[in-house]
Amino acid sequence: MLMIILMLAVYGVALGSFVNALVWRIHAQSKETAKKSPNSKQLDRLSISKGRSMCPHCKHELAAKDLVPVFSWLSLRGKCRYCKAPISVQYPIVELITGALFVASYLWWPNQLQGLEVGVFVLWLALLVGLIALLVYDLRWMLLPDRLVFPLTGLAALQALVAVTASDRPVVALINVVAAVAVGGGLFYVLFQVSAGKWIGGGDVKLGWLLGLSVGTPAKALLFIFLAALLGSLVSIPLVAVHKLKGKSVIPFGPFLIIAAIVTQLFGTAIIHWYRVTLIGL
Ligand SMILES: [Zn+2]
C-alpha cells in the first residue's frame, strides 16, 4: 500500500508539471491564433505534443535539470536559469496539489478498488488532471476554454459508462447519471438563460454538465452545487466587505465548482449518508 501511495504521489507531481505546461500552451496558442496572421512556426513550438518545454519569458528551451517538478523551482529559487525572470510559485504549488490529490483519491476512494472499479479510479485520476488545468486556467484568465472542457466531457462520459457497468444495478445507475447531468448543468443553464449570461457564464453551464456526469447521482450533483455556492460566498463575502469587489463580480465561479466536485467525488457518499441519518433520520 505504501508503494502505491508513493507511486501515485510521483505520478501526480509529474502530471501537475504537465498541467502547468498545458495551461500555458493552450493560452499562448489561443493568443497566437487570435492574431490576424498566426505564425505557424510559433504554433508548432507551442504544440502540446511536439513542442519542447521553454521559459515563458525568454523562450529558452529548458533542459532536463530545469524540469524536475518542485525541486528545480526550489534549487533555482523561483527564477529562470537563463534570463533570471521570476517563475510563478503557481508551478510548484500545482505540482504538489496534484500529487496530494492523487494520494487523497486513493486513500478516500468511496468504493472498493477491485475489478472495473479500478478503471473508474484511473479515469478519475485522468479527469482530475484536466480539472486542475481548468481550475488554473479559470483563475488566471477567467475563462473555461472549450479545448479543455470538451475532451474532459468525453473523459467524464467514459468514467460514467464504466461506473454504470461496474454497478450492481446498472439500470438504476444509468438513470442516476442522466438525472445528475440534468441537475448539474440544468440549474446553471436556467440561470444563464434567465440572466442572459450576467449571473454565470456559458462556460459554467458546460462545466455543470461535465461535473454532473462525473459525480453520477442527482443528490451528489446538488451537493457539489451547494458546496460551490458555500465556498464562493465564504471567499467573496469578506472581499466585498473590504470593498475589494464592487458590484460586478470579478471572481470566476469555475474553481469553486471544481473544488466542490472533487470533494463530492471523494466524500459525497459519506456526507449524504451523514445528512440523511443525522438531520432527517432516514
Ligand atoms: Zn527565461
Side-chain angles (χ1 to χ4, degrees):
M1 181 166 151
L2 196 66
M3 201 58 210
I4 298 178
I5 291 176
L6 213 65
M7 256 173 53
L8 283 171
V10 171
Y11 279 137
V13 168
L15 286 165
S17 176
F18 168 74
V19 165
N20 283 320
L22 179 72
V23 165
W24 178 71
R25 273 163 199 245
I26 288 181
H27 183 69
Q29 275 177 6
S30 68
K31 267 203 317 204
E32 188 65 35
T33 41
K35 285 181 189 164
K36 274 205 180 98
S37 50
N39 180 339
S40 63
K41 226 181 182 169
Q42 188 60 23
L43 278 174
D44 249 20
R45 284 192 74 194
L46 291 171
S47 154
I48 291 148
S49 50
K50 287 178 286 179
R52 299 285 302 272
S53 296
M54 58 176 131
C55 164
H57 187 72
C58 67
K59 310 282 191 285
H60 192 293
E61 265 188 22
L62 299 181
K65 63 180 173 186
D66 304 320
L67 292 169
V68 186
V70 186
F71 291 102
S72 291
W73 190 89
L74 286 176
S75 74
L76 293 166
R77 295 196 187 79
K79 289 194 183 85
C80 169
R81 188 189 302 279
Y82 310 98
C83 70
K84 305 292 172 212
I87 308 165
S88 163
V89 71
Q90 171 211 314
Y91 287 81
I93 287 180
V94 168
E95 289 161 355
L96 288 173
I97 286 179
T98 310
L101 284 176
F102 266 45
V103 173
S105 294
Y106 175 70
L107 292 178
W108 287 294
W109 192 251
N111 304 316
Q112 273 224 309
L113 278 171
Q114 55 186 20
L116 272 179
E117 190 65 26
V118 177
V120 181
F121 178 68
V122 171
L123 286 167
W124 161 250
L125 292 183
L127 188 64
L128 189 56
V129 169
L131 288 177
I132 297 169
L134 260 187
L135 189 156
V136 174
Y137 204 105
D138 202 17
L139 272 181
R140 286 193 65 169
W141 295 296
M142 307 272 293
L143 194 78
L144 298 162
D146 285 344
R147 284 199 52 200
L148 277 171
V149 174
F150 290 162
L152 286 179
T153 306
L155 201 56
L158 192 61
Q159 189 205 0
L161 188 73
V162 180
V164 165
T165 315
S167 157
D168 306 331
R169 291 180 299 166
V171 177
V172 178
L174 183 65
I175 294 170
N176 271 329
V177 170
V178 173
V181 174
V183 172
L187 180 65
F188 293 137
Y189 182 72
V190 170
L191 287 176
F192 177 72
Q193 291 296 338
V194 167
S195 71
K198 280 196 204 98
W199 297 338
I200 52 164
D204 296 322
V205 181
K206 286 180 235 167
L207 185 58
W209 307 121
L210 152 61
L211 297 176
L213 261 177
S214 177
V215 297
T217 71
K220 286 185 184 172
L222 276 177
L223 179 64
F224 87 70
I225 292 172
F226 169 76
L227 288 176
L230 186 70
L231 270 175
S233 329
L234 285 177
V235 172
S236 52
I237 288 170
L239 286 178
V240 173
V242 294
H243 303 294
K244 283 230 162 116
L245 280 174
K246 279 178 196 141
K248 205 164 173 263
S249 156
V250 287
I251 302 181
F253 192 49
F256 298 117
L257 279 173
I258 290 168
I259 294 168
I262 294 172
V263 171
T264 302
Q265 181 79 42
L266 297 180
F267 305 108
T269 308
I271 295 172
I272 290 165
H273 178 77
W274 169 85
Y275 177 81
R276 290 170 78 168
V277 171
T278 330
L279 293 179
I280 45 181
L282 274 176

